[in-house]
Amino acid sequence: MRGIGRVLVIVYAVMALGATGRSFVQIVRAFDDAPLAYTLSAVSAIVYIVATLALILAGRPGWYRVAGIAIVFELLGVLVVGTLSLVEPGLFQHPTVWSQFGLGYVLIPLFLPMAGLWWLVRHRPVSGAVA
């Protein structure tokens, strides 16, 4: 993986670390204050970890599909949680990685899955290639 693909993996890895750290602190300190929000932060962390690994391994059988599934799930999560956090703010009294479309992360969670899907489409594995 070179160029933009490498940058994409680095951004995903940073998001995985950030989301994991955030969710860990939120769950340990005050899970009872906002269980939905903090659980969603943990889910986003898992999605970023899976997406990072899958993008790194996308050239191996099955991993390209895992990357696509993880990134589509991420995009849907950002859109659903982002919309709900604006329409029904009472659901998310505490911020999550995906609330307000990732505003707390400079909207990176909104644009990152679009970049990830673009990269996957541009780097689709060649089927039937002879090694």
Side-chain angles (χ1 to χ4, degrees), residues 18-84:
T20 300
R22 177 184 193 139
S23 65
F24 178 78
V25 169
Q26 288 173 326
I27 289 169
V28 168
R29 283 192 174 172
F31 182 75
D32 292 336
D33 291 350
L36 175 62
Y38 297 163
T39 300
L40 285 172
S41 285
V43 168
S44 70
I46 293 166
V47 170
Y48 287 122
I49 291 168
V50 170
T52 302
L53 293 173
L55 284 169
I56 291 169
L57 301 171
R60 296 183 182 177
W63 283 101
Y64 180 87
R65 183 174 299 237
V66 171
I69 292 168
I71 293 172
V72 167
F73 183 87
E74 171 196 2
L75 180 59
L76 292 174
V78 170
L79 294 176
V80 169
V81 172
T83 301
L84 286 174

